[in-house]
């Protein structure tokens, strides 16, 4: 349990909730129901063994925080996950109600394994990350979000056959998920790169005929496979500007997929503005 102030709220609640859920208990010493709820929450936190964290805000001492979250009656509990408030309740719940509330915000075993995979990958331990990805999918084979991240992980390691096998295991709901188009674009680009002309050949074709959109698309695919995304976007933008009907608007559609692949928000914003201008 942590006492939270305006100064440490960002670190102890927002940032911490990116690792584990955080319950923020807005309370005051004079509040009788708060004295009932607080020990119950502390008991459940101890029982959880680090699966979630309890943070307490004394509303008398930190009125700015209470006002920011529109706390008008206490006790008021707000749950934070991934840096955002996701659920809340006001008043005292029985222990069974508290357990039900926690069950809604705590990650499933598969989600916990996916989180572990992300942490291991961020720490540079690819073997441990692979094991955690596989654990998540063993626990929940239909966990498409985890499988898409695992496919991207495999592509980073040039394990194309494994990535293709995993892609074929996605469920029918996967195409609706964020990231699906990006993973599909990258997988297809890497698989087909051996069948494409080399970059110099494609560059000569484009120089000889700037309207050779097939050459521009092949060059974009080659560059996506190499993760040279901005140069790929240059070719795709020329396709959009020249002929929106080319291969069923493939230039625009591929640009959107590449945006999802890029880990460069400022560059993505710049290219999105250029695309919007080209479409007007």
């Amino acid at each position: 349990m942590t006492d939270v102030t305006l100064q440490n709220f960002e670190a102890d609640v927002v940032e911490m909730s990116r690792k584990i859920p955080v319950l923020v208990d807005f309370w005051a010493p004079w509040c009788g129901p708060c004295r009932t709820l607080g020990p119950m929450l502390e008991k459940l936190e101890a029982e959880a063994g680090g699966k979630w964290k309890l943070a307490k805000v004394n509303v008398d001492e930190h009125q700015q925080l209470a006002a920011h979250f529109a706390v008008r009656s206490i006790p008021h509990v707000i749950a934070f996950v991934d840096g955002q408030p996701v659920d809340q309740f006001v008043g005292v719940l029985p222990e069974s109600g508290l357990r039900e509330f926690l069950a809604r915000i705590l990650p499933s075993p598969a989600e916990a394994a996916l989180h572990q995979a992300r942490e291991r990958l961020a720490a540079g331990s690819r073997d441990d990350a692979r094991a955690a990805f596989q654990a998540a999918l063993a626990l929940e084979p239909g966990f498409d979000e985890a499988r898409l991240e695992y496919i991207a992980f495999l592509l980073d390691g040039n394990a194309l056959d494994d990535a293709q096998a995993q892609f074929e295991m996605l469920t029918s709901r996967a195409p609706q998920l964020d990231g699906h188009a990006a993973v599909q674009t990258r997988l297809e680009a890497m698989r087909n790169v051996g069948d494409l002309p080399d970059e110099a050949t494609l560059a000569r074709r484009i120089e000889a005929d700037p309207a050779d959109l097939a050459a521009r698309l092949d060059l974009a695919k080659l560059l996506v496979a190499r993760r040279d995304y901005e140069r790929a976007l240059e070719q795709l933008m020329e396709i959009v500007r020249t002929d929106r009907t080319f291969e069923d608007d493939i230039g625009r559609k591929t640009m959107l997929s590449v945006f999802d692949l890029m880990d460069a928000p400022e560059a993505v914003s710049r290219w999105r503005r250029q695309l919007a201008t080209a479409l007007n």
Side-chain angles (χ1 to χ4, degrees), residues 35-183:
R35 292 196 296 272
T36 298
L37 179 65
M40 294 170 63
L41 289 172
E42 292 171 17
K43 170 194 169 185
L44 292 175
E45 181 192 28
E47 180 183 300
K51 292 180 181 178
W52 62 276
K53 177 181 176 180
L54 176 62
K56 298 179 73 68
V57 176
N58 184 327
V59 297
D60 286 348
E61 297 176 353
H62 306 290
Q63 296 180 12
Q64 188 174 349
L65 274 176
H68 179 76
F69 291 102
V71 174
R72 297 182 177 86
S73 179
I74 55 175
H76 186 146
V77 175
I78 302 177
F80 284 75
V81 176
D82 291 331
Q84 299 294 327
V86 297
D87 206 348
Q88 60 186 305
F89 67 87
V90 178
V92 178
L93 297 180
E95 185 171 316
S96 59
L98 292 175
R99 292 184 184 278
E100 290 175 4
F101 181 83
L102 287 166
R104 293 201 300 270
I105 65 166
L106 290 175
S108 69
E111 290 169 335
L114 174 59
H115 183 76
Q116 185 179 57
R118 293 167 177 163
E119 287 187 330
R120 297 294 184 268
L121 189 56
S125 179
R126 286 186 60 84
D127 288 343
D128 289 344
R130 179 191 296 271
F133 276 124
Q134 292 173 343
L137 293 169
L139 289 164
E140 192 175 330
F143 194 0
D144 287 328
E145 292 86 350
R147 198 174 300 278
L148 285 169
E149 291 193 34
Y150 186 38
I151 294 167
F153 167 87
L154 293 170
L155 291 175
D156 287 343
N158 292 312
L160 295 184
D161 290 343
D162 289 344
Q164 181 63 43
Q166 291 295 322
F167 192 83
E168 292 171 0
M169 294 173 68
L170 291 166
T171 72
S172 59
R173 63 180 281 272
Q176 281 71 54
L177 296 176
D178 291 342
H180 178 273
V183 165

Side-chain angles (χ1 to χ4, degrees), residues 243-280:
D243 184 1
R244 286 284 307 281
T245 66
F246 178 68
E247 291 198 17
D248 191 26
D249 202 13
I250 189 68
R252 181 187 64 84
K253 292 176 180 177
T254 307
M255 286 188 76
L256 296 178
S257 297
V258 173
F259 293 159
D260 288 339
L261 288 168
M262 295 175 69
D263 187 19
E266 291 185 4
V268 170
S269 295
R270 172 165 42 84
W271 280 103
R272 284 191 185 278
R273 289 194 296 270
Q274 292 186 43
L275 178 59
T277 300
L279 295 177
N280 290 332

